[in-house]
Structures are given as C-alpha cells and as structure tokens.
Amino acid sequence: MSLYQLQKLLYHVNRDSERRERYRKDAAGFIKAYELSDEEAKAVLNVDTRTLYTMGVHSLLLKPFTLLNKVSNEDYAKALKGLE
Amino acid sequence: MPIVFACAASHAPGITAWTEAAPREQAETFLGSYRRLGERLAASKPDAIVALTVEHWANFFLTSMPTFCIGRAAHYDGPVEEWLRIPKARVPGDVKLGVDLIDACLDGGFDPTFSDELLLDHATLLPLHFLNPNMAVPVVPVIINTLTVPMPSAKRCFALGALLGKFLQHSEKRIALVATGGLSHWPGEAKHGKINIPFDKKFLENILANDHRSLIAYTHDEINAEAGSGGHEIRTWITLSGAVQSWKAELLAYEPVAPWATGCGLVAFNP
C-alpha cells in the first residue's frame, strides 16, 4: 500500500491544471510517475470510488477527483453505500 | 485599539453554491443573519480582520502540513473553487499585522509556520463574502489544521486563541476576529448529509455559556464520531472563545440545512 502516493496523485490532478491535462490525455502513462500497487493503479484508472475510499483516500481529495471524472453526486453516494 | 468585533460562522459551500436547494425559510433566515452580521462588522470599523480559518487541500499537502500557519502576504486570491458562485477576488492582506502575530506566537510559546502566499478557498472566502463584501478590510489568515490527522487539541487551540486575544487587545489597530467552520458535517464521506443536531446544540450551549472547561475537553475522537470530519473545524470556534474569554456570545442563527449537509451556526461575541 502507498496511500501517500495515491493521495498525491489525486491532489496533483485536482489542483494542478497542467498535470490534470496530462492525466486526461493519457491516464495510464500519467500514473506511472507515482509508486502505486497494482490494486491502487487499477482503482485510479477505473475511478473506483468505493475502493479508493476504503483504501483511505481523504474524502476531500476523492470527491473533487470523482467530480473531475464526471461521477455524479448520486453515483458517488451509491458507491459508498453501507460503508462507515 | 483593541478587538472591536468577533464572530464565528459556518462556511458550508452550499450557502452560496446551491443556496436555492435549501428550504426557502431556512436559507432566508441564515443568509439574512449572515448579512446583518456583516453590517455589524462594518459598524465596528475594523482596520483588519484576523480570520481563524481552515483549508481543504488548497495550499498544503502531506509533503508538509502545518498545524498552525499565519499569512503575512500583501494580498490573497480566491476562491479556488470555480463553482462557488463567489466572484474571484484579491483580498488585501496586512503584512505588518501578520508579522506581529507570528512574533507574538514565537514569544508566547507557539511556533506557527508562516506564508507569503496563500490561496483562499470557501473556508475563508465564503464568510468574507458576507462579512467583508467589498473585500476592503485587509485580512490576516490564521490557518488551523482541521483537515487531516494529527490535528491540534481543543486545549491547544484555546491557548492559541488566548495568546492572540491578549496580543490583539493591545493592538494599535481595530481588529475584527472571524472564526469559520463547522458545525457537524461529513463532507464527501459515506455519511455525507448527516447532521448531528444534538451535538451542535450542546456545542453552541457551551459557547454561549462561556463554558471553557467543556470546550477544551472536546477530544479528537469525540468530534470525529459525533460531528464528522468537517466537525473538526469547531476548533476555530474554540480558538476564538479563547481569544475573547470574557465576551458574551450571542446566537444569531442555527439551521441544520439538509441540502447544505451541514449544521450551520452564526454566533456574535459582544464585549
């Protein structure tokens, strides 16, 4: 697990327009700059809200990241349903 | 001149970004109180606003997360959120006051970080939108980490407030103190939308009663469980309570607004 690297990736995409552009053009290439486990890489590339949340990604990094990836509020809530 | 104004206010982004999602009466009550509070701030004719505030990954990341950070910039830009429906603004800073506050902290047993460039997000810009609508009064942000663990204890926040209050009472400037954040909310969490009204009411009771013993007794785990990750922002209120310990708090509004997903409070402190 490399939660720090995972959160750093989301932070960069959320807050830095140049990096966001690179992520949008080639997400698979972009994430290679971060030391992620295979599981983390998969969760990021699939914008897997529930898995990213249970991995411990801070909700105020995750929420804007999912919005940038066009996950609706309803789908976000649905993805977290049943979690604490 | 000393502290001439003090208030604590919630900053839920929905207040401006999706105002109309709230029941009309609730929105009108809360926004009306916010605007009247702004009129009271203006009437106090402050030379500067010291904002006891927080942030949400606007400036800091886990590369280096300050527990307390004081701004000493000539100006601050914001809001960072495009969707907040608050016009982009350049808010004047007060460099000297920022420097003086940092020195006062270092002399008084606190070691804050300092910054010559801070972006403001809804935590600071939303209250300023109502309280300093022309962005004419210079601002010194005092950012408290309520975002990610470990956070300063309630007791430590109260002590910081006491130190700042003591220093500012002897300021040559007229100072308005604005604490921003809370009350209970779970932003982006599985429990998003929950509001713990009993927690909020008990906290407000403690604020209104100047029950400092109860305020400094709030633990991290208690706040986390009862008021959510967003509830940690009540530390700014506790800091303010430390700054104006003998002032009488006055409840202007408490509205648990479901569509804003936050227990929204407004309290003025009167000398």
Side-chain angles (χ1 to χ4, degrees), chain A residues 4 8 11 15 53 58-59 76 83, chain B residues 57-58 63 119 147 187-188 190:
Chain A
Y4 173 71
K8 188 160 88 167
Y11 173 72
R15 295 284 306 127
Y53 188 86
H58 193 283
S59 57
Y76 184 91
L83 296 176
Chain B
W57 307 112
T63 39
L119 295 170
L147 182 63

Side-chain angles (χ1 to χ4, degrees), chain B residues 9-31:
Chain B
S10 296
H11 63 230
I15 294 168
T16 53
W18 48 94
T19 315
E20 58 284 348
R24 197 169 162 175
E25 199 175 321
Q26 266 194 320
E28 281 177 1
T29 301
F30 195 74
L31 268 63

Side-chain angles (χ1 to χ4, degrees), chain A residues 2-83:
Chain A
S2 38
L3 182 59
Y4 173 71
Q5 291 284 326
L6 182 59
Q7 296 199 104
K8 188 160 88 167
L9 187 160
L10 267 65
Y11 173 72
H12 282 162
V13 171
N14 290 345
R15 295 284 306 127
D16 179 343
S17 56
E18 187 270 330
R19 285 186 171 107
R20 183 158 61 242
E21 208 43 48
R22 283 198 283 124
Y23 162 79
R24 278 186 168 143
K25 277 185 184 147
D26 174 21
F30 177 83
I31 70 163
K32 283 185 184 145
Y34 302 84
E35 296 165 29
L36 304 179
S37 67
D38 292 346
E39 198 189 3
E40 288 163 342
K42 194 175 147 197
V44 168
L45 290 176
N46 292 337
V47 194
D48 182 344
T49 304
R50 190 177 180 90
T51 300
L52 291 167
Y53 188 86
T54 53
M55 282 173 170
V57 171
H58 193 283
S59 57
L60 294 179
L61 292 170
L62 182 57
K63 181 66 178 151
F65 180 75
T66 59
L67 283 175
L68 286 169
N69 282 287
K70 312 235 179 291
V71 177
S72 70
N73 289 334
E74 293 72 24
D75 285 344
Y76 184 91
K78 209 184 291 173
L80 301 191
K81 207 162 181 172
L83 296 176

Side-chain angles (χ1 to χ4, degrees), chain B residues 43-103:
Chain B
S44 74
K45 300 194 187 323
D47 299 313
I49 295 171
V50 174
L52 306 171
T53 187
V54 302
E55 69 133 38
H56 312 85
W57 307 112
N59 297 287
F60 307 118
F61 184 61
L62 298 168
T63 39
S64 179
M65 179 61 65
T67 299
F68 303 112
C69 177
I70 298 178
R72 55 172 198 185
H75 55 74
Y76 303 93
D77 291 338
V80 296
E81 301 93 339
E82 302 285 340
W83 43 264
L84 195 60
R85 299 201 307 200
I86 289 178
K88 293 274 181 210
R90 173 159 282 188
V91 185
D94 185 327
V95 176
K96 183 174 183 310
L97 182 61
V99 169
D100 287 349
L101 286 184
I102 295 159
D103 285 341

Side-chain angles (χ1 to χ4, degrees), chain B residues 18-257:
Chain B
W18 48 94
T19 315
E20 58 284 348
R24 197 169 162 175
E25 199 175 321
Q26 266 194 320
E28 281 177 1
T29 301
F30 195 74
L31 268 63
S33 298
Y34 229 139
R35 288 193 193 97
R36 282 193 293 281
L37 191 54
E39 288 162 12
R40 283 163 74 158
L41 184 145
S44 74
K45 300 194 187 323
D47 299 313
I49 295 171
V50 174
L52 306 171
T53 187
V54 302
E55 69 133 38
H56 312 85
W57 307 112
N59 297 287
F60 307 118
F61 184 61
L62 298 168
T63 39
S64 179
M65 179 61 65
T67 299
F68 303 112
C69 177
I70 298 178
R72 55 172 198 185
H75 55 74
Y76 303 93
D77 291 338
V80 296
E81 301 93 339
E82 302 285 340
W83 43 264
L84 195 60
R85 299 201 307 200
I86 289 178
K88 293 274 181 210
R90 173 159 282 188
V91 185
D94 185 327
V95 176
K96 183 174 183 310
L97 182 61
V99 169
D100 287 349
L101 286 184
I102 295 159
D103 285 341
C105 284
L106 294 172
D107 286 343
F110 278 84
D111 308 292
T113 63
F114 48 87
S115 174
D116 288 358
E117 183 177 10
L118 290 168
L119 295 170
L120 302 182
D121 68 19
H122 67 273
T124 311
L125 246 296
L126 191 144
L128 291 182
H129 176 68
F130 293 100
L131 303 176
N132 189 21
N134 301 319
M135 303 296 173
V137 183
V139 172
V140 175
V142 177
I143 295 178
I144 299 169
N145 171 30
T146 65
L147 182 63
T148 187
V149 289
M151 300 176 195
S153 66
K155 190 176 176 182
R156 190 73 174 148
C157 291
F158 188 86
L160 175 67
L163 186 152
L164 295 176
K166 200 170 164 191
F167 176 78
L168 290 170
Q169 279 299 357
H170 298 102
S171 173
E172 64 203 22
K173 292 177 177 165
R174 298 172 64 83
I175 304 294
L177 280 171
V178 174
T180 143
L183 304 171
S184 64
H185 60 301
W186 281 256
E189 294 185 275
K191 288 182 187 163
H192 179 85
K194 178 178 171 176
I195 300 171
N196 187 343
I197 297 173
F199 175 92
D200 291 348
K201 290 200 164 162
K202 182 68 199 165
F203 177 72
L204 289 169
E205 241 174 63
N206 291 334
I207 287 279
L208 296 177
N210 276 344
D211 185 349
H212 301 145
R213 192 186 293 252
S214 295
L215 289 174
I216 63 175
Y218 278 101
T219 66
H220 180 88
D221 290 348
E222 179 187 4
I223 300 170
N224 206 58
E226 299 296 324
S229 63
H232 290 298
E233 294 166 353
I234 63 169
R235 284 168 173 80
T236 65
W237 292 52
I238 295 170
T239 307
L240 178 62
S241 193
V244 289
Q245 290 178 34
S246 62
W247 289 28
K248 184 81 192 133
E250 172 194 357
L251 181 65
L252 303 181
Y254 173 69
E255 294 292 336
V257 185

